[in-house]
Amino acid sequence: MSAPTFTPERAFHAGEQALQARAGVRARMAEVGKVVMRDHMPDQHRIFFAQLPFIVLGSVDAEGQPWASVLAAPPGFVASPDDHTLTVQALPLTDDPLHANLRPGRPLGLLGIEPHTRRRNRMNGVVTTVGSQGFAVQVQQSFGNCPKYIQAREPVY
């Protein structure tokens, strides 16, 4: 299963478009999508992901079932060597569904959250490589998310 190619004109998938049409906001959201969704990561997103101690990942298994996973490591385990690539120097445990779903050519969604500022950014892409220490993702969509429902939190160690 591979992800469809992103274009600014097709910022939302068919299900999102159907819901937007039902709510009467399809045309408006098509214009918004062209502005806020990119086919690359702006520098502020690249820097943001690199400073995080964890990321949330969404993957899909062979039957089409979605799964959510978390990878955590010291800040810097996520990097962006260029604006179309995100690398992650961490791998899921073998019993995490992400372990089986993490294959070149497969779609992957990443969410970076900074709880103390409520900032969050999304990146959707396709896995390009998987190695013994981590993996790389080719960016297809990059956008910020509204912090409206995020409660500010400070980590306690």
Side-chain angles (χ1 to χ4, degrees), residues 80-141:
S80 179
D82 61 67
D83 63 355
H84 285 88
T85 308
L86 197 70
T87 61
V88 178
Q89 294 302 304
L91 291 168
L93 298 174
T94 56
D95 60 347
D96 185 320
L98 180 61
H99 179 75
N101 301 339
L102 195 60
R103 302 285 179 260
R106 301 286 297 273
L108 195 64
L110 289 90
L111 173 64
I113 304 173
E114 195 173 60
H116 64 284
T117 65
R118 300 176 32 212
R119 182 176 174 193
R120 50 188 195 151
N121 288 330
R122 280 279 313 276
M123 192 282 284
N124 298 323
V126 176
V127 177
T128 56
T129 60
V130 179
S132 62
Q133 301 296 311
F135 58 95
V137 181
Q138 179 184 1
V139 177
Q140 288 191 324
Q141 289 181 322

Side-chain angles (χ1 to χ4, degrees), residues 11-90:
F12 301 102
H13 65 69
E16 290 169 315
Q17 292 175 13
L19 287 172
Q20 292 164 358
R22 190 171 182 184
V25 297
R26 176 72 196 113
R28 189 175 115 227
M29 293 308 295
E31 291 305 312
V32 168
K34 290 179 198 178
V35 175
V36 300
M37 293 186 170
R38 301 161 199 86
D39 65 354
H40 64 282
M41 293 184 73
D43 288 344
Q44 66 175 335
H45 290 199
R46 296 171 67 200
I47 293 165
F48 175 72
F49 273 99
Q51 69 190 21
L52 298 174
F54 72 93
I55 54 173
V56 180
L57 301 98
S59 65
V60 179
D61 67 19
E63 288 77 43
Q65 175 70 36
W67 294 94
S69 301
V70 175
L71 291 177
F77 82 105
V78 179
S80 179
D82 61 67
D83 63 355
H84 285 88
T85 308
L86 197 70
T87 61
V88 178
Q89 294 302 304

